[in-house]
Amino acid sequence: MHLHDLWFILIAVLWIGYFFLEGFDFGIGVLTRTLARNTTERRVLINTIGPVWDGNEVWLLTAGGATFAAFPDWYATLFSGFYIPLLAILVCLIVRGVAFEYRAKRDDERWQRNWETAIFWTSLLPAFLWGVAFANIVHGVDIDQDKNYVGTFWDLLNPYAILGGLTTLALFTFHGALFAALKTVGDIRERARAQALVLGAVTAVLALVFLIWTQAHGGNGWSLAATVVAVLALLGALAANQLAREGWAFVLSGLTVVAAVAMLFLALFPDVMPSTLNPDWSLTVTNAASSAYTLKVMSIVAAVFTPIVLLYQGWTYWVFRKRIGVQHIPSAH
């Protein structure tokens, strides 16, 4: 296996990890409006991800940095062509982080309500825009012979991309509902399971259409296998949720995220950004990659530090593994 192929796989793994972890983060943010009935319940939901949300975003930083170092042409074309949606995601993530930290700085009801509204919208928009972005990457965009994106922002909002955005939004919210059921106690836990049933049904319809469309457009045997795994895992998550097996339901919804994102990368390979103007102008793992020496140094660094990061993040989840409920929220809040 060539190093550029290895780094395509590693970058895919980083994005899979990001969407698995940040997916339920975004879902919890959306549920602060659709599941929580009052400020105390919103505080419960926010506290379920309070110790881990910032660590989850490390996967995004690592994925972006790895793309920049391993495939600089891919990074340049992607971030220049998708400038507006990626900037919108970045602004949302900044405001979202501030909202988590500043919400409890004052006891004023209006102050807290405004930050809670910010958490909702800055969770919903990235969950949708990531789907739009990756749908365009897989489907292909207008790239010329100089590896420059020559389309417009509105070209990115095509029906396939919008379907991709709706799919990720529904999937992440479903993933978040199962995480809420896993991490809470009392009435909010029961309502999270009930809402997960509805969200799962919506996700199943959207995901099935989106994955079949992707497979028909440029899929292969491997992507078909990933599609089957994603569908079966989603159905298994719904069944486990009905049986009140929250742990298994969350694991299976996570497997759905993993298989669905893996399917996109499997359908994309060996391209990294296909050109709809001329297939010969597409960016591939070969013509967009850094030098062999750069990839070799990156491989050594990744082999040393990746296990350390995984151990630390795993330890964080273990420490904050207990459930919480409204009885754990001080009355002052």
Side-chain angles (χ1 to χ4, degrees), residues 4 6 16 93 123 140 143 166 211 223 226 228 297 314 327 329:
H4 52 69
L6 173 64
I16 289 170
L93 294 180
S123 298
I143 299 175
L166 294 175
L211 292 176
S223 62
V228 172
V297 172
Q327 67 270 27
I329 305 300

Side-chain angles (χ1 to χ4, degrees), residues 40-87:
T40 303
E41 289 191 351
R42 282 191 284 275
R43 179 67 183 272
V44 170
L45 291 177
I46 292 170
N47 283 5
T48 63
I49 60 173
V52 298
W53 68 267
D54 49 354
N56 294 344
E57 292 186 354
V58 170
W59 289 76
L60 172 62
L61 299 176
T62 308
T67 304
F68 172 77
F71 299 98
D73 288 342
W74 183 12
Y75 181 93
T77 303
L78 175 63
F79 279 78
S80 60
F82 291 23
Y83 181 82
I84 294 178
L86 293 180
L87 177 62

